[in-house]
Amino acid sequence: MIKNDLSIFEEIESNVRSYVRGFPTVFTKAKNYKMWDADGKEYIDFFSGAGALNYGHNDPKMKEKLVEYIMNDGVTHSLDMATEAKAEFLKKFKEVILKPRNLDYKVMFPGPTGTNTVESALKLARKVTGRTDIISFTNGFHGMTIGSLSVTGNASKRAGAGIPLNNTVTMPFDNFVNEEMDTLDYLERFLEDNGSGVDTPAAMILETVQGEGGINAARFEWLQRVDEICKKWGILLIVDDVQAGVGRTGTFFSFEPAGINPDIVCLSKSIGGYGLPLALTLFKPELDIWNPGEHNGTFRGNNPAFITATESLTYWEDKSFEEGIQEKSKLITEFLHEMVTKYPELEGNVRGRGFMQGIESQIDGLSAKVAEVAFEKGLIMETSGVNDQVFKLFPPLTIDEEGLKRGFNLIEESIKSLIA
Ligand code: PMP
């Protein structure tokens, strides 16, 4: 067994490392919602690889398919060549995900990560409309490359670029404004005012539930109005479902219950199914004006990821999977409400929906403290929001009730130990 020793990370890895600080141990093994470290200590995973492990660690079916594929010398890397693994994925994605939801999208593989799909979406919106500006929202997070960062409404993340970024307008997200000022009224005024010198933007980009920004869920009516405004002004609506998609909020796409049909959808994280890098950009067929090669990336043909992604879609063939997520989400909501009522000292409010919920504490630093103590007790949980004011429950969708309850107990013990 390897030693539980963090010295090599401190010695040679850049100061940019982050999770190793929040979760200071060496992990060696993981299965569904459990992880183990080099001392054999067991952890409950309420983090799910920041949303990349919605089906838990080492899903047995995906593992079997992957091992079989590798043992049969399946193609591993293929850029955008046609492969059997990719064909199978596309067929199943169309049959199991798009068709039953009456969605007609073209699919592109923009590169392996979330930021790659956002970049391709921004490029496509500019190319289709011939316009440059993008409207994004406060507390939104879209990635770390210059384009995706430029639409990220969080100054501390943008600080990594060192310089101001261009061509974006950041508007207050839903629920961040008071009764006298509604973002969308303001936005319409702004679009109508030809004399303002503000050009009609190419696109708006948003997360329906902001993950990194503090688990801020937009109301469905708000999303519907955003959709209407976009249609009225010929602005493309980009939904970044990198974190909120693939079942995280209770339906495959986070926008389904709002009844909207975005022009462009960004998917990554759990779309690969097994924690393997894969990203998809979906867009309405009439937007497909790319010339061959205009957006590419070496690792857009990750065949092992196609194998696990295809297998992961099997979960969605059976309605009971989706119903199960929604049922288990209720337990999360109930638990969080119980915590804020039972422990008023938290000064907490419950946020989010589905398997994307958390508590925002008004007490400076308390949420981060809860996550820190929980980790010592054996629970992996992240905080989010500009001031880390939210602790975020992000278990795999495949967790059972027992696992959820074990996690809940550790959270309650941590809260109790901090406010006693
Ligand atoms: N969009 C959203 C909504 C995200 O949460 C993230 C990652 N946290 C990204 C984009 C960027 O994805 P990646 O880190 O894979 O580039």
Side-chain angles (χ1 to χ4, degrees):
M1 204 200 260
I2 74 156
K3 264 183 46 210
N4 201 340
D5 176 5
L6 290 165
S7 57
I8 186 71
F9 305 94
E10 278 148 26
E11 182 193 324
I12 202 166
E13 220 188 351
S14 156
N15 199 37
V16 80
R17 71 194 188 279
S18 62
Y19 287 117
V20 71
R21 297 176 204 266
F23 308 128
T25 195
V26 179
F27 292 101
T28 52
K29 197 177 152 148
K31 203 156 172 44
N32 195 6
Y33 64 85
K34 295 177 191 160
M35 292 184 83
W36 291 270
D37 72 9
D39 296 325
K41 180 173 168 184
E42 184 178 294
Y43 294 83
I44 305 285
D45 185 1
F46 268 28
F47 170 52
S48 303
L53 291 159
N54 283 2
Y55 308 101
H57 298 266
N58 286 301
D59 178 273
K61 275 276 175 50
M62 291 183 219
K63 180 164 65 181
E64 196 184 310
K65 294 274 171 173
L66 186 61
V67 169
E68 186 187 303
Y69 186 73
I70 293 168
M71 294 313 282
N72 287 321
D73 293 329
V75 177
T76 53
H77 171 66
S78 61
L79 300 123
D80 73 351
M81 287 185 250
T83 62
E84 188 185 14
K86 185 172 174 178
E88 292 301 317
F89 172 73
L90 285 169
K91 268 191 239 159
K92 199 153 169 182
F93 189 73
K94 183 175 159 212
E95 287 307 314
V96 178
I97 302 300
L98 297 180
K99 252 192 169 167
R101 291 166 181 78
N102 283 323
L103 293 170
D104 186 16
Y105 285 127
K106 284 265 193 140
V107 177
M108 75 180 269
F109 300 97
T113 71
T115 201
N116 296 140
T117 160
V118 171
E119 292 291 335
S120 70
L122 300 177
K123 277 170 71 176
L124 185 63
R126 290 164 61 110
K127 188 171 161 70
V128 167
T129 60
R131 302 182 215 127
T132 51
D133 294 349
I134 309 285
I135 291 190
S136 59
F137 294 91
T138 47
N139 292 298
F141 182 83
H142 300 289
M144 282 281 165
T145 50
I146 294 263
S148 60
L149 190 60
S150 75
V151 288
T152 289
N154 177 334
S156 68
K157 305 268 193 243
R158 292 165 72 122
I163 49 160
L165 301 160
N166 300 323
N167 290 119
T168 64
V169 181
T170 310
M171 303 288 291
F173 191 61
D174 190 21
N175 292 321
F176 275 78
V177 281
N178 59 36
E179 282 139 28
E180 289 102 65
M181 195 194 104
D182 178 275
T183 304
L184 300 182
D185 287 342
Y186 179 71
L187 183 60
E188 283 217 279
R189 188 76 72 78
F190 173 83
L191 291 167
E192 274 157 16
D193 184 4
N194 292 327
S196 66
V198 174
D199 298 324
T200 307
M204 289 195 209
I205 183 165
L206 57 85
E207 301 155 86
T208 66
V209 183
Q210 296 179 326
E212 304 302 317
I215 314 293
N216 311 311
R219 291 162 302 146
F220 298 149
E221 314 87 78
W222 190 84
L223 293 169
Q224 287 153 4
R225 239 188 107 204
V226 169
D227 190 41
E228 278 162 28
I229 293 173
C230 283
K231 288 203 170 73
K232 179 170 164 194
W233 294 93
I235 299 165
L236 297 175
L237 176 58
I238 305 171
V239 169
D240 178 347
D241 243 359
V242 165
Q243 187 162 151
V246 195
R248 185 47 64 185
T249 61
T251 47
F252 186 86
F253 295 106
S254 71
F255 54 82
E256 287 176 54
I260 59 168
N261 183 359
D263 300 290
I264 306 180
V265 182
C266 300
L267 288 177
S268 184
K269 291 199 190 270
S270 279
I271 193 67
Y274 202 69
L276 295 181
L278 187 66
L280 256 58
T281 313
L282 312 178
F283 42 84
K284 293 188 173 160
E286 63 272 21
L287 304 183
D288 195 10
I289 62 160
W290 293 117
N291 290 313
E294 275 185 342
H295 185 94
N296 61 37
T298 306
F299 288 108
R300 67 197 186 278
N302 182 351
N303 286 268
F306 290 138
I307 293 291
T308 52
T310 305
E311 181 53 36
S312 74
L313 298 180
T314 305
Y315 277 108
W316 297 92
E317 284 177 338
D318 182 352
K319 234 3 204 166
S320 68
F321 179 63
E322 203 165 329
E323 287 160 5
I325 306 170
Q326 291 164 9
E327 280 307 308
K328 286 182 280 183
S329 308
K330 288 186 199 147
L331 300 177
I332 303 177
T333 314
E334 275 164 27
F335 166 71
L336 293 177
H337 280 288
E338 190 194 322
M339 290 302 100
V340 296
T341 3
K342 203 161 154 190
Y343 303 104
E345 300 89 336
L346 263 180
E347 293 187 31
N349 64 77
V350 179
R351 324 181 57 75
R353 58 190 174 92
F355 263 57
M356 194 166 181
Q357 298 190 60
I359 288 181
E360 176 185 50
S361 169
Q362 303 300 329
I363 316 269
D364 227 15
L366 186 55
S367 288
K369 240 7 218 159
V370 172
E372 199 183 308
V373 175
F375 180 73
E376 284 160 18
K377 292 183 186 294
L379 181 84
I380 305 170
M381 183 170 73
E382 203 185 13
T383 54
S384 81
V386 180
N387 301 310
D388 288 319
Q389 72 276 24
V390 177
F391 62 86
K392 171 177 169 189
L393 278 66
F394 240 65
L397 311 177
T398 48
I399 195 168
D400 56 16
E401 249 186 80
E402 191 207 325
L404 276 178
K405 295 209 165 127
R406 282 181 63 189
F408 293 166
N409 286 339
L410 294 174
I411 295 175
E412 181 162 11
E413 277 177 30
S414 311
I415 296 174
K416 270 206 280 204
S417 77
L418 285 164
I419 62 181

